[in-house]
Amino acid sequence: MYYSGVNTNIIFGDRMLITIIRTLILYVFIIFAVRLMGKRQLSDLQPSELVVTLLIADLASLPMENTEKPMLSGIVPTLILVACEIAVSVFMMKNSFFRRLICGNPVMVIEDGKILRDKMSSLRITTEDLCVQLRQQGIFSLEDVEYCIVETNGKLSVLQKPQKRTPSAEDFNIKPEDTGIEVVVINDGEYLESSMKLNNTDKNKIRSILNKEKTDLKDVFIMTYNKNGDYNIIKK
């Protein structure tokens, strides 16, 4: 009985190790597969992309839960789904009818300040749902809205009435200086060369700034920089 218990523990330990290894491999593979499909947030997914994402999650769970199933039973179908999604995406770029068939069309639900109830009914959107999404965009009154469109991903695009819009610098005949993008060039004591390229700078330039400020690289938590040469250093 003692030896039987030891053997059982060994077998259980081996299976657990196999499960952990399979899970890690599938985890890396799924990240790679999702990256192949493009950079979209979950809330921005089109219907076809959402379906593929859900199917991939289910397919990956099967080899994780059942170690007797070969890993290829999860990897091969996932690759097929990713290939299909890429093909569908390319075809949607080439064919507007196919894109409308898969993704649908944007629908205007407020036009010239008037709510289009028939359009809202077709989308099965209540006025409460509409007000919730408007409040999330900082609009607390329907009377402030000139146009409102429900996009194909379910998000709202809103144009406020002219008197409610935030005035721009152009409205005041002001021409602000273009400082470009402020990017993080040092993060936790490490240079970010990809960010430096956005503002046409390099390590030597950043290093000279650190020398001028008498600051060591290892002591910098965050350093930002823009194309005008303005910078901000936050030490650890």
Side-chain angles (χ1 to χ4, degrees), residues 14-160:
D14 289 342
R15 285 184 176 177
M16 182 59 68
L17 180 61
I18 292 172
T19 301
I20 292 172
I21 294 173
R22 288 163 70 100
T23 301
L24 291 174
I25 293 174
L26 286 168
Y27 172 72
V28 174
F29 173 72
I30 295 301
I31 290 177
F32 171 73
V34 173
R35 285 283 288 109
L36 278 178
M37 290 193 297
K39 295 183 178 181
R40 284 186 186 265
Q41 297 179 357
L42 186 60
S43 59
D44 295 331
L45 294 179
Q46 298 291 353
S48 62
E49 296 168 330
L50 180 60
V51 169
V52 170
T53 302
L54 295 174
L55 287 175
I56 286 176
D58 284 339
L59 288 171
S61 65
L62 295 176
M64 288 184 192
E65 296 172 354
N66 188 353
T67 56
E68 295 180 359
K69 285 195 171 188
M71 287 189 62
L72 288 178
S73 65
I75 292 176
V76 172
T78 298
L79 287 175
I80 293 173
L81 285 173
V82 171
C84 288
E85 173 53 33
I86 293 174
V88 167
S89 298
V90 171
F91 194 54
M92 284 195 297
M93 292 173 59
K94 304 293 184 182
N95 191 305
S96 59
F97 173 77
F98 183 71
R99 176 176 174 80
R100 290 195 300 271
L101 185 66
I102 298 297
C103 301
N105 290 317
V107 178
M108 187 174 294
V109 293
I110 298 179
E111 185 177 9
D112 291 328
K114 297 178 181 179
I115 298 177
L116 306 179
R117 297 180 61 184
D118 56 332
K119 300 295 185 181
M120 291 184 61
S121 297
S122 66
L123 294 174
R124 297 185 296 278
I125 296 178
T126 65
T127 52
E128 289 81 4
D129 295 332
L130 181 62
C131 289
V132 167
Q133 294 197 54
L134 288 174
R135 287 196 296 270
Q136 290 174 346
Q137 297 196 31
I139 301 171
F140 288 83
S141 175
L142 288 170
E143 295 180 355
D144 296 346
V145 181
E146 183 81 6
Y147 294 96
C148 179
I149 300 172
V150 179
E151 304 294 353
T152 56
N153 59 9
K155 287 191 171 184
L156 294 185
S157 295
V158 182
L159 179 65
Q160 292 178 276

Side-chain angles (χ1 to χ4, degrees), residues 186 188-191 206 210 215-221 236:
I186 297 178
D188 201 13
E190 292 185 2
Y191 290 113
I206 301 302
L210 293 179
T215 302
D216 291 332
L217 175 64
K218 60 182 177 59
D219 296 328
V220 178
F221 176 52
K236 294 182 181 179

